[in-house]
Amino acid sequence: MQSQDVAPRPAPSSGPVVDVEQAEAALVEHYPRLVRLAYLVLPPSLGRNRRVLTAHALTQRALPRGRTSGDATVIPAQQTGGRDGDPGYAFVRLQVVRTALEAGLPLRRKAWPKRSQLPPLLPQVWGLRLFPRSGGADELALDQRLSALTGPARAAYVLRGLEKLPDADVRKVLTAAGVEDPGAALTEADGLESQDGLLSSPEFDPCSLHARPTDLMRRRQHMKAALAAAAAVAVCGALLGMPGDGWGRDGAAAPSYAQNPAAEAALDPARLTIVPATAWRASARTDFSVWPARGDLVGDKALLRRALAVWARPGESVQVSATPGTPSGAPPGPPQLLYAGAVDQGRVVLLYDGLRIARYAEPKDGTAGAALDFARVDGASGSEANAVVLDRADGNVRYLTAPWVRKAAERDLLKPSSGTMDLALSAQGVTAPLASPAQATGACTTWNVLQLTDDSGTRLMADLGELTPAHLTTGRPSAPREASGAEALRAWSPFACSLGDVRSQGVRSVNAWEFAHQPLPDASGSAGWVCTRADTWRGGGTRVLAQFHTPGGKYGAVAAKAENSAACGPRDPQVLAGVLWKSGAGTWYLLAAGGKDTASISATGGVHGSARGSLLAVRTEQGAQAGLKGSLEDGREITGLR
């Protein structure tokens, strides 16, 4: 590892004061980007597992020490720059860069190591190695070239490419981080060709991870003596505690790893559940249990045996992934076969065990590089059981559709009036390739969705990077409607790009509800308030965004967000959110809105004002901090979404 010139921390200069609440808000909002920044600045010589854990640890320790008093909530100003001008984000970014550079310094005998130079205490994972998804040849080459740079040069390159900072600002950040010669770091970074797009690729995303076991043989050797002693103690304890004929902790269960008829049946391709091709026509059910087995390799017993064996015991070379909250263990009994066939350059098997969809894929020329993916689908019916991802290649995705789907099409959700492009459906129900936004990087200029039509209507499904697409709806949470109509498409258009916030989160459905329409001060037209709620298959992890859309704006702006909240949902169809907005006349206002059941709204903290009804507009100043309180018509109190 090359030496890095990092000077002692300079004395703080005058600038905007950042309290812990402001820094915490920036850290939570931009956590994935900050962890990626730390991962790229850390020396690759640490190894990918330690780089991942260290990047998370450094980012989580980036908050200032101490906590200010007060309950005020920072309401973000509406602006196109996102992170630009946010002193909270600038502070935590500087802390991340500084500690990442310190982590790469060599340990010295006569000096105590810095905390960032030691393996992180938290987060910690036992028995697993974590690493980002593997990229292509370009990403590997870039990682190798980054490893040849010094730490300051690597930081300069990443600040330029990932953060889009000009050289003057990069120099300021490096100086504040303690780099002795920022100019030399910039000069060294000039020797590496700019490849900004690659820095945003999944190869360098420490928030989207694969897991593998650690060295199993070494763990086994280290544990032999402890296991022998533990076994002796367990036997003695069992002998002392046996009454009558004896009993154990597992009662009548068979010993561990004993042959079990149900487990053995789950590995036998001859015992797979095969649903007749026309069963769905006579059934009242519209779920995966009535899908027939399709594909040109349904009779390939060797392929099916491999798929079942890998599901039960995936080897180290198998790439295993699962949506959050989805168990990845063996099936409890013989699963149902949905598909087995050749797709593009591989062979794919889709299986269903009543709780999960399992997708096994292998190359046509062997089994090296096999993959096993899981998605939870318990309770799926109708729209949620309309399609499953069959294959991904070159940024495109193919779906296997339900047998009742008559037509498939592709639609750009950002362009509601542009019409659809028909997707060919094979006799087996496989769609032609659809350009997917799931792995897209850079600016959001298009968001393609799958439009499916059956005898009961037309539905929109969004690919969020998982086996099952998410069902899109609009309307009040208590009675959502399909998002395929002209009015619903116009309602979704400004907020389509916000779907990127819930990629790979196990999302079941996303509803967009326009809960208020607000006249803007200074004769500036009227703005819409929309709440988008993403519900998951596991129940927890729900994400709610309150978004603000001004006249003529292409995109909505996120005014507030919350996780695991009942807001905007069928249990509690209420929401209250606010935003700082600048009129065309140059005047700043605090705008706030609630649902139609809101009787009054008041602002507290740095802004004071109140209004009867569900809308509030109060003149204020840029950067003001305020909290929101509201009363419903039934007397219940609500607070701003957070």
Side-chain angles (χ1 to χ4, degrees):
M1 181 177 66
Q2 300 185 35
S3 63
Q4 303 174 353
D5 298 325
V6 180
R9 184 180 303 181
S13 58
S14 61
V17 176
V18 179
D19 63 28
V20 68
E21 302 292 348
Q22 190 175 7
E24 183 180 18
L27 189 149
V28 171
E29 181 177 359
H30 304 292
Y31 183 82
R33 189 178 194 88
L34 291 165
V35 177
R36 184 187 290 265
L37 174 65
Y39 183 84
L40 287 164
V41 175
L42 286 168
S45 59
L46 291 177
R48 292 198 293 173
N49 180 70
R50 182 168 169 186
R51 277 174 81 190
V52 165
L53 296 177
T54 301
H56 282 275
L58 298 182
T59 304
Q60 293 171 16
R61 296 203 303 262
L63 292 178
R65 298 182 182 276
R67 177 171 290 271
T68 59
S69 61
D71 298 326
T73 301
V74 179
I75 298 180
Q78 185 205 357
Q79 52 187 356
T80 59
R83 305 177 311 278
D84 300 343
D86 183 354
Y89 179 77
F91 176 87
V92 292
R93 178 177 62 193
L94 173 60
Q95 296 298 105
V96 167
V97 172
R98 174 186 292 135
T99 53
L101 290 174
E102 290 175 348
L105 293 173
L107 295 174
R108 303 183 184 278
R109 291 185 177 181
K110 296 184 178 181
W112 287 99
K114 297 180 180 293
R115 184 180 181 186
S116 55
Q117 292 177 273
L118 301 175
L121 295 176
L122 290 173
Q124 189 60 261
V125 178
W126 296 96
L128 289 175
R129 292 182 294 108
L130 302 176
F131 50 89
R133 300 176 182 177
S134 298
D138 293 338
E139 287 87 348
L140 178 60
L142 176 60
D143 197 36
Q144 291 173 343
R145 288 193 291 270
L146 285 173
S147 67
L149 298 178
T150 61
R154 194 161 50 247
Y157 183 86
V158 174
L159 289 170
R160 276 175 172 171
L162 185 66
E163 293 293 290
K164 309 299 183 185
L165 294 182
D167 283 1
D169 290 343
V170 172
R171 192 185 301 270
K172 292 178 181 178
V173 173
L174 293 179
T175 300
V179 175
E180 290 183 345
D181 193 348
L186 286 165
T187 301
E188 185 180 353
D190 289 336
L192 186 57
E193 180 184 358
S194 176
Q195 293 180 298
D196 299 351
L198 293 181
L199 294 177
S200 300
S201 71
E203 169 78 12
F204 305 114
D205 183 4
C207 291
S208 181
L209 303 171
H210 286 299
R212 292 292 182 273
T214 55
D215 191 331
L216 299 178
M217 292 303 296
R218 180 179 299 176
R219 283 163 53 185
R220 184 180 301 171
Q221 292 168 358
H222 287 176
M223 292 297 291
K224 276 185 177 180
L227 287 175
V233 172
V235 170
C236 293
L239 291 174
L240 290 173
M242 280 186 179
D245 293 334
W247 47 264
R249 183 186 62 179
D250 297 330
S256 299
Y257 303 106
Q259 290 184 337
N260 180 278
E264 290 181 339
L267 300 178
D268 184 357
R271 303 287 294 275
L272 284 170
T273 300
I274 306 293
V275 175
T278 59
W280 64 274
R281 297 182 182 276
S283 175
R285 305 183 65 156
T286 55
D287 56 22
F288 292 110
S289 69
V290 295
W291 277 35
R294 290 172 284 179
D296 56 349
L297 298 177
V298 168
D300 189 338
K301 300 300 182 184
L303 171 63
L304 299 178
R305 188 179 300 278
R306 288 195 299 274
L308 292 169
V310 169
W311 185 352
R313 303 182 308 278
E316 291 189 8
S317 63
V318 179
Q319 302 178 34
V320 181
S321 69
T323 57
T326 305
S328 57
Q336 176 185 341
L337 178 62
L338 303 182
Y339 183 88
V343 183
D344 294 330
Q345 300 302 312
R347 292 183 289 264
V348 176
V349 177
L350 289 178
L351 300 164
Y352 171 63
D353 70 351
L355 171 68
R356 303 162 293 174
I357 295 286
R359 175 185 176 273
Y360 171 78
E362 64 180 27
K364 284 185 177 180
D365 55 358
T367 60
L372 183 63
D373 305 310
F374 294 96
R376 185 169 172 174
V377 293
D378 50 315
S381 182
S383 302
E384 296 164 346
N386 264 348
V388 176
V389 169
L390 200 57
D391 181 57
R392 297 184 187 275
D394 302 324
N396 297 320
V397 59
R398 287 183 188 268
Y399 291 95
L400 177 67
T401 60
W404 49 82
V405 170
R406 295 188 288 103
K407 182 180 178 181
E410 174 182 350
R411 172 184 288 281
D412 187 351
L413 202 56
L414 281 173
K415 301 172 183 176
S417 60
S418 62
T420 62
M421 182 178 71
D422 288 345
L423 291 175
L425 269 180
S426 74
Q428 302 287 342
V430 178
T431 69
L434 162 72
S436 170
Q439 302 297 332
T441 59
C444 177
T445 58
T446 182
W447 195 281
N448 294 326
V449 293
L450 176 67
Q451 181 170 296
L452 298 177
T453 302
D454 56 31
D455 291 338
S456 61
T458 300
R459 298 165 178 82
L460 293 187
M461 314 297 291
D463 180 21
L464 300 180
E466 297 168 329
L467 278 182
T468 54
H471 181 207
L472 301 184
T473 58
T474 60
R476 191 167 179 82
S478 57
R481 306 181 304 274
E482 296 297 336
S484 52
E487 182 181 351
L489 290 170
R490 289 192 296 270
W492 253 111
S493 176
F495 313 103
C497 291
S498 67
L499 289 170
D501 189 60
V502 292
R503 279 185 285 212
S504 302
Q505 298 299 317
V507 173
R508 183 173 190 162
S509 62
V510 187
N511 185 58
W513 169 40
E514 185 175 66
F515 63 90
H517 208 70
Q518 182 170 26
L520 296 174
D522 300 338
S524 301
S526 60
W529 286 93
V530 170
C531 189
T532 56
R533 177 184 174 90
D535 287 304
T536 67
W537 289 99
R538 64 190 183 277
T542 297
R543 295 195 177 189
V544 179
L545 299 179
Q547 304 192 60
F548 181 70
H549 183 225
T550 54
K554 185 175 181 180
Y555 305 108
V558 176
K561 61 175 62 177
E563 290 193 24
N564 295 312
S565 171
C568 299
R571 290 183 179 273
D572 187 18
Q574 305 296 338
V575 63
L576 176 62
V579 70
L580 291 182
W581 174 79
K582 184 180 181 181
S583 72
T587 305
W588 283 91
Y589 291 89
L590 166 64
L591 304 179
K596 66 177 183 179
D597 297 331
T598 305
S600 65
I601 302 175
S602 60
T604 61
V607 181
H608 295 281
S610 62
R612 297 191 61 81
S614 60
L615 301 174
L616 173 69
V618 180
R619 183 175 296 188
T620 185
E621 298 178 354
Q622 182 180 7
Q625 298 183 5
L628 293 174
K629 294 182 179 180
S631 298
L632 301 180
E633 292 180 352
D634 61 5
R636 184 160 63 95
E637 299 290 328
I638 59 174
T639 59
L641 187 69
R642 62 175 65 185

